[in-house]
Amino acid sequence: MSDPVDVLAGSDPVAAVLAAYRDGDRLLLRTGGTTGAPRVVVRTAASWVDSFPTYAELAGIGPDTVVGVPGPMTATMNLFAVAQARWAGARHTHDPEDATHVVLTPAQLHAVLDADAARPGTVAVVAGDRLAPALAARARAAGLVVHHYYGAAELSFVAWGPHAEQLSVFPGVEAVARDGELFVRSPYVAEGVADADGWAGVGDRGHVVGTRVIVHGRPGTVTTAGATVVVSAVEAALADLGVVVVGIPHPRLGAVLAAVLPGSVGIAAARRAARDRLPSSHRPRRWVHRETLPLTRHGKIDREALARALAADPQELP
């Protein structure tokens, strides 16, 4: 078997995806890992391209459309969207204001709405993070047609709907929950992630009711501006500071990381350490001192109580 095609190695990753499909090759995709280090996903080109017609039908993409994808091709959701647009004969642009369709994260959708750059009638496909019903409603009030999907680099599409609380299983996909963890079986799954019966998961919690998929997220992680951050990895990088990290809700980014420091550690020094040791997406946005932390009855840090207390604190984020 030939080596997979590293689609980001050349100047035109979209052409590399389509050529790999034509030649029956596999794709090597690098995607931002949950700890900040890129991870490699290998899949057949067909496992992407075979979903193009269904995606085109659901989103209404064809030769007369212009697809705006402002994000980088290093994000698999963006590379997929541009490859699908080229396959469909649509034109691609980086400028959402020039598009009939836009592919955005929820944070990018916030920015478009805040800038009053949403052209009525534009179709927005939102992914990469949870699309809250309130944000979806705001976008629709601005005249956008909104779609949302849940997936993963290893799984591709899992569910599709108007927002995160109304997702249905993507056509051609089966979904189940085992002990509260989501698994899928579909022709769109990457290599090496499925069990002997074809079921694959990435650790996301949730449940399935009929065709409805309810996603709770990954335990021990915080998704902020589309990046999934393993909290324990951030704490390990800053272990010498004695930091405790939790996620707190944020209206634009979904959530942000908050770092709680003992009184002996200065916030300025902690910020410098984070800049030196962590990628920007994985740095806490809020830093506070706490002499005592809430504990569970077993004596462990009660992270849920800590997150609630910080979320209720009116302190502004920097």
Side-chain angles (χ1 to χ4, degrees):
M1 182 180 295
S2 61
D3 291 337
V5 176
D6 185 348
V7 297
L8 295 179
S11 60
D12 190 343
V14 172
V17 170
L18 299 178
Y21 176 69
R22 182 190 64 233
D23 298 337
D25 288 335
R26 298 174 298 152
L27 307 176
L28 186 151
L29 304 170
R30 290 185 173 86
T31 182
T34 53
T35 63
R39 67 187 188 277
V40 171
V41 174
V42 176
R43 58 167 59 251
T44 65
S47 70
W48 260 14
V49 178
D50 286 352
S51 67
F52 284 1
T54 302
Y55 180 91
E57 181 177 357
L58 290 171
I61 294 175
D64 297 328
T65 57
V66 180
V67 179
V69 184
M73 294 301 99
T74 50
T76 54
M77 64 172 274
N78 296 332
L79 176 58
F80 176 95
V82 179
Q84 193 279 337
R86 191 175 297 181
W87 170 90
R91 183 165 67 86
H92 165 237
T93 177
H94 293 285
D95 184 0
E97 294 189 61
D98 187 37
T100 62
H101 293 64
V102 290
V103 177
L104 306 169
T105 65
Q108 290 169 330
L109 176 60
H110 260 297
V112 167
L113 295 173
D114 289 348
D116 198 24
R119 188 172 63 186
T122 300
V123 177
V125 179
V126 185
D129 200 351
R130 185 179 188 275
L131 176 61
L135 179 56
R138 181 187 171 197
R140 291 189 176 92
L144 297 183
V145 178
V146 182
H147 300 286
H148 178 48
Y149 71 83
Y150 157 67
E154 297 88 348
L155 307 179
S156 195
F157 292 106
V158 175
W160 185 284
H163 54 70
E165 294 185 9
Q166 291 186 10
L167 292 172
S168 296
V169 179
F170 190 82
V173 174
E174 300 174 77
V176 297
R178 299 173 180 167
D179 298 323
E181 184 176 343
L182 292 171
F183 291 88
V184 303
R185 184 164 60 185
S186 84
Y188 312 131
V189 171
E191 291 185 354
V193 297
D195 64 19
D197 295 321
W199 292 99
V202 293
D204 283 335
R205 309 294 293 177
H207 59 283
V208 180
V209 181
T211 61
R212 187 181 176 202
V213 179
I214 298 91
V215 184
H216 302 310
R218 204 164 302 175
T221 66
V222 175
T223 301
T224 173
T228 302
V229 181
V230 175
V231 168
S232 60
V234 177
E235 292 182 344
L238 304 173
D240 57 313
L241 306 179
V243 66
V244 175
V245 176
V246 295
I248 56 175
H250 187 275
R252 180 186 299 276
L253 303 177
V256 294
L257 297 176
V260 181
L261 295 163
S264 59
V265 178
I267 288 178
R271 288 185 184 278
R272 287 194 297 271
R275 285 195 297 269
D276 291 341
R277 305 174 193 178
L278 293 165
S280 59
S281 59
H282 290 54
R283 296 171 197 157
R285 292 281 298 274
R286 182 172 172 187
W287 299 83
V288 298
H289 284 120
R290 289 288 188 276
E291 294 301 325
T292 60
L293 297 174
L295 302 178
T296 69
R297 63 188 182 90
H298 298 294
K300 298 181 178 181
I301 297 171
D302 189 334
R303 293 176 181 271
E304 291 186 4
L306 179 59
R308 288 195 300 270
L310 294 177
D313 188 330
Q315 176 183 333
E316 292 291 328
L317 291 169

